[in-house]
């Protein structure tokens, strides 16, 4: 720590910084720079409890850097220091540095948490609702942008991107077909087992056929396929577009005068809208085949009788209800996956976070929309 002799040296001698408290005046002397930080920090801790309401004096201040400015903020507080800068006789560079550091540190100060748990709960609920509203607004805007671009290029075949469309169709449709068929087959067998177990007590095991057919034609076929694509394909869309943003490929696309939505989003959306109905149909057939196998092995209902019961009891409208939901689900899954990719901020961690968010949001939206559709169709008698 500098002594009185050191304080009397001229500014050009690079004296170690110091601070003195005389009444209500806090004098800053010498050089407040990083090389003197340890000594200045000790002196600041000594005076911190007595600096409230003090007026700073910068008349003998020497050199200054961000380390020294941060200690000044800790001594006086960001708002008090910014207010004192209005009348302080300081060079323009030092004034700007102190104001910038004070403003930055003032923004970083965490808000004092509320002690009331009810207020904390309400505050967190409000934050979640606000975030959900912003997300919904952003998703609606991106859907509008995608639809606008789609309707613009549809009557212009020269702008169609067939190569990325076929590549996305291969990835979302053909590559996903085995896992969709296997999963729906197993779920169909499980549903048949459960139906047979419950209906056996009532002597109505024959209605296991109707249970399997109804559930897969209306709900399970499209729902399982959509959830699988949400976890498999939406995450892939997010990771691909996010990696392009991290590598600044999206900026290069815009620099070339190309539209990233037209180039990256529309082919993926169209591929999903074509592949999910096909996968839904495969899922319906596979689930019913799994149920038919259980009926044949456990209930002595041969496949011919299974098909006859389905033809007799199951109307075509149930198939149309299930297959009609597939393009809507596909559009939402693809749009959410692409939107989360565009929201990546530029780091590997951000890619992982938005990939997870795309899967969660896609599955949530699929289940929410399916619930709303089920209520609507029930009220309409469909």
């Amino acid at each position: 720590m500098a002594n009185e002799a050191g304080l009397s040296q001229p500014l050009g001698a690079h004296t170690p910084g110091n601070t003195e408290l005389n009444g209500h005046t806090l004098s800053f002397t010498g050089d407040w720079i990083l090389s003197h930080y340890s000594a200045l920090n000790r002196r600041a801790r000594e005076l911190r409890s007595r600096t409230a309401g003090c007026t700073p004096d910068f008349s003998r201040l020497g050199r200054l850097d961000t380390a020294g400015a941060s200690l000044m903020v800790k001594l006086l507080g960001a708002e008090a220091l910014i207010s004192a800068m209005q009348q302080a006789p300081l060079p323009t560079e030092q004034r700007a540095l102190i104001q910038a550091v004070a403003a930055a540190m003032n923004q970083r100060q965490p808000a004092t948490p509320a002690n009331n748990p009810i207020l904390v709960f309400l505050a967190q609920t409000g934050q979640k609702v606000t975030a959900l509203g912003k997300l919904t607004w952003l998703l609606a805007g991106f859907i509008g942008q995608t639809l606008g671009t789609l309707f613009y290029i549809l009557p212009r075949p020269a702008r169609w991107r067939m190569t990325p469309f076929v590549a996305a169709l291969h990835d979302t449709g053909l590559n996903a077909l085995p896992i969709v068929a296997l999963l729906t087959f197993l779920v169909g067998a499980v549903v048949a087992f459960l139906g047979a177990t419950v209906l056996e007590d009532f002597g109505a095991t024959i209605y296991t056929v109707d249970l399997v057919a109804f559930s897969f034609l209306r709900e399970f076929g499209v729902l399982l396929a959509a959830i699988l694509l949400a976890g498999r394909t939406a995450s892939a869309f997010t990771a691909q577009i996010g990696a392009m943003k991290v590598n600044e490929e999206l900026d290069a696309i815009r620099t070339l005068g190309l539209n990233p939505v037209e180039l990256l989003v529309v082919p993926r959306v169209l591929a999903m809208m074509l592949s999910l109905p096909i996968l839904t149909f495969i899922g319906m057939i596979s689930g019913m085949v799994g149920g038919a196998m259980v009926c044949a092995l456990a209930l002595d209902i041969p496949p011919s009788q299974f098909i006859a019961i389905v033809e007799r009891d199951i109307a075509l409208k149930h198939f149309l209800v299930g297959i009609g939901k597939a393009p809507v689900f596909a559009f939402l899954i693809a749009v959410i996956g692409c939107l989360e990719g565009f929201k990546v901020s530029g780091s590997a961690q951000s890619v992982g976070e938005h990939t997870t968010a795309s899967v969660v949001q896609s599955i949530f939206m699929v289940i929410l929309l399916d619930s709303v559709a089920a209520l609507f169709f029930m009220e309409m008698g469909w």
Side-chain angles (χ1 to χ4, degrees), residues 82 95-105:
I82 292 175
R95 183 192 304 273
L97 175 62
I98 294 175
Q99 289 179 341
V101 172
M105 293 181 68

Side-chain angles (χ1 to χ4, degrees), residues 72-282:
M72 293 180 180
V73 174
K74 292 178 181 178
L75 270 173
L76 294 174
E79 295 181 358
L81 190 59
I82 292 175
S83 177
M85 287 297 99
Q86 306 301 325
Q87 304 295 331
L90 281 172
T92 305
E93 295 82 2
Q94 289 186 351
R95 183 192 304 273
L97 175 62
I98 294 175
Q99 289 179 341
V101 172
M105 293 181 68
N106 190 37
Q107 292 176 356
R108 288 189 316 179
Q109 290 176 356
T112 304
N115 295 325
N116 192 333
I118 298 178
L119 295 179
V120 173
F121 172 76
L122 293 176
Q124 293 176 351
T125 303
Q127 292 174 356
K128 296 295 183 182
V129 172
T130 303
L132 181 61
K134 291 180 179 178
L135 177 63
T136 305
W137 183 259
L138 185 62
L139 178 60
F142 190 72
I143 288 175
Q145 185 178 5
T146 303
L147 289 176
T149 305
L150 179 62
F151 291 143
Y152 175 76
I153 67 173
L154 279 181
R156 297 171 174 82
R159 302 184 69 94
W160 294 359
R161 307 284 178 175
M162 296 305 299
T163 300
F165 168 75
V166 174
L169 184 63
H170 178 271
D171 182 51
T172 61
L174 187 62
N175 290 346
L177 194 148
I179 184 63
V180 171
L182 177 61
L183 182 64
T184 51
F185 175 84
L186 296 176
V187 173
V190 171
V191 171
F193 269 123
L194 291 176
T197 302
V198 173
L199 295 174
E200 186 178 8
D201 297 335
F202 304 95
T205 53
I206 192 66
Y207 290 106
T208 303
V209 178
D210 299 89
L211 174 65
V212 173
F214 269 112
S215 60
F216 273 89
L217 289 178
R218 291 186 68 97
E219 297 294 337
F220 284 165
V222 62
L223 201 58
L224 291 174
I227 290 175
L228 278 174
L229 283 191
R232 182 184 181 276
T233 306
S235 59
F237 288 173
T238 302
Q240 291 165 3
I241 297 177
M244 294 180 69
K245 187 171 183 181
V246 171
N247 296 330
E248 299 182 354
E249 295 178 37
L250 296 182
D251 296 332
I253 290 174
R254 294 187 179 95
T255 302
L256 293 173
L258 301 174
N259 184 0
V261 176
E262 176 184 337
L263 189 66
L264 303 174
V265 178
V266 172
R268 287 173 167 82
V269 170
L270 293 178
M272 280 282 287
M273 293 181 68
L274 180 61
S275 62
L276 186 55
I278 298 174
L279 293 176
T280 298
F281 178 76
I282 298 297

